[in-house]
Structures are given as C-alpha cells and as structure tokens.
C-alpha cells in the first residue's frame, strides 16, 4: 500500500517563557520579604515597616512623629501613604501570583490556542503588578518627605526591605519584557512525515 503523509504539530517551549516564570516566582519571594519586614524606613532608635513600627531600647527622645510610646513594636501609624503602600504591595503580590500560575499553565499545556491565551493573560496581569509596585515605591518616599519635619532625626535612610521592593520591580519588568518578546507563533512548528501502512491480509 502506498505511504501516506501526516502532519504533526510540534510545540517547543522557549527558554524565555521559562525565565519569565522564574522571574514571577522570585517576585513572590521578594514581596513576601518586603511585606513582612519592618526595615522600610530607618533612623536612630526607629524602624518602620508597612504594618509595624519599632522603637528600640536605646532610643533618644523626642521620638519621631511626636510619639510617646515605650520601646517595643506597635501597629503602623494611621497615615494614608503607609496604608496605601501596603495595599499596593499586597495587590502586587496577588497579581504576581496569578500571572506566575497562568504562565506555568501556559508552559504545561500542549494546546497552542490555550497556550497563547495564557501568555497574553499573564503579561497583562504581570504588567498590572508592575504598575502597582512602582506606584507604591514612588508614593512612599515622596509622602514621607512631606512629613520629614516631624521626624525629629537628622538622618533617615530607606532600609533593605525598600530595596527589595525595587528588586522585585526589576524582576517584574524582566518578566513582562520576556513574555512580550517571545512570540507565541515561534513556538508552533509543523512537520510532515510519511508513514507506510501495511494492510495486506495474510492467508
């Protein structure tokens, strides 16, 4: 019997998509670290995070922002920019988790239409995550500068947790670029091969 030609669809996973997935996973870790830390803003005898501020044992009065608490950790001050930054960072974490999961689903699925949809959704959600984080990282120092006269400290510095936030922003930007640059059409290949079917009946 004459050979027949079949067309196979071959899906190739590009490394850029895998790297984008890894970037999203790293951002999850970095954002958890930033949210959990009290080292966003630091001065002598004072550490401030998004949910708590801590007064150290050797603090020299007067305390920053006209507080009168003894040494210890307390809930963050009732200030709008701190709450807004915390909310934006939580949104960043949630949206990044969603985009990373969707990217992983896109890597795993073999259906090229579903794969394309997953990557498109992932890049949009990750872009939303990046915008939220950049807004938080800009809002925090700008609004703090407006109340600097209440700081009662000559030297203020942003702690490592704030730097971790910028690190997360860099990885988010990288993930968005990688998802945008690696076109879905480059992942689908069509290959022809000939198959000989032996259908002769034996006596």
């Amino acid at each position: 019997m004459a050979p027949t030609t079949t067309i196979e669809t071959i899906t190739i996973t590009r490394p850029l998509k895998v790297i984008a997935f890894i970037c999203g996973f790293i951002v999850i870790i970095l954002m958890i670290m930033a949210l959990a830390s009290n080292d966003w803003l630091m001065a002598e005898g004072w550490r401030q995070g998004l949910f708590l501020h801590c007064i150290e044992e050797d603090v020299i009065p007067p305390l920053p922002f006209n507080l009168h608490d003894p040494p210890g950790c307390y809930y963050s001050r009732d200030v709008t920019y701190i709450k807004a930054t915390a909310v934006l960072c939580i949104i960043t974490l949630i949206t990044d988790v969603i985009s990373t999961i969707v990217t992983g689903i896109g890597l795993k699925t073999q259906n090229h239409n579903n794969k394309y949809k997953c990557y498109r959704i992932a890049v949009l959600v990750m872009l939303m995550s990046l915008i939220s984080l950049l807004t938080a990282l800009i809002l925090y120092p700008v609004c703090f500068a407006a109340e600097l006269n209440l700081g009662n400290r000559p030297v203020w510095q942003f702690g490592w947790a704030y730097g971790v936030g910028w690190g997360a922003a860099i990885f988010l930007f990288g993930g968005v670029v990688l998802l945008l640059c690696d076109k879905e059409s480059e992942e689908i290949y069509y290959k022809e091969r000939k198959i000989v079917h032996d259908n002769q009946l034996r006596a």
Side-chain angles (χ1 to χ4, degrees), residues 1 3 7 31 36 38 52 62-63 80 91 99 106 153 158 168 174 176 178 180-181:
M1 186 176 181
I7 298 177
M31 289 308 301
N38 295 325
L52 297 173
L63 293 179
T80 302
I91 292 173
S99 64
R153 291 292 184 272
F158 292 100
V176 169
L178 292 173
L180 285 174
C181 290

Side-chain angles (χ1 to χ4, degrees), residues 17 119 123-124 127 174-184:
K17 294 289 198 308
Y119 291 152
V123 72
L124 291 175
L127 183 60
V176 169
V177 171
L178 292 173
L179 287 174
L180 285 174
C181 290
D182 200 14
K183 299 298 184 183
E184 176 63 22

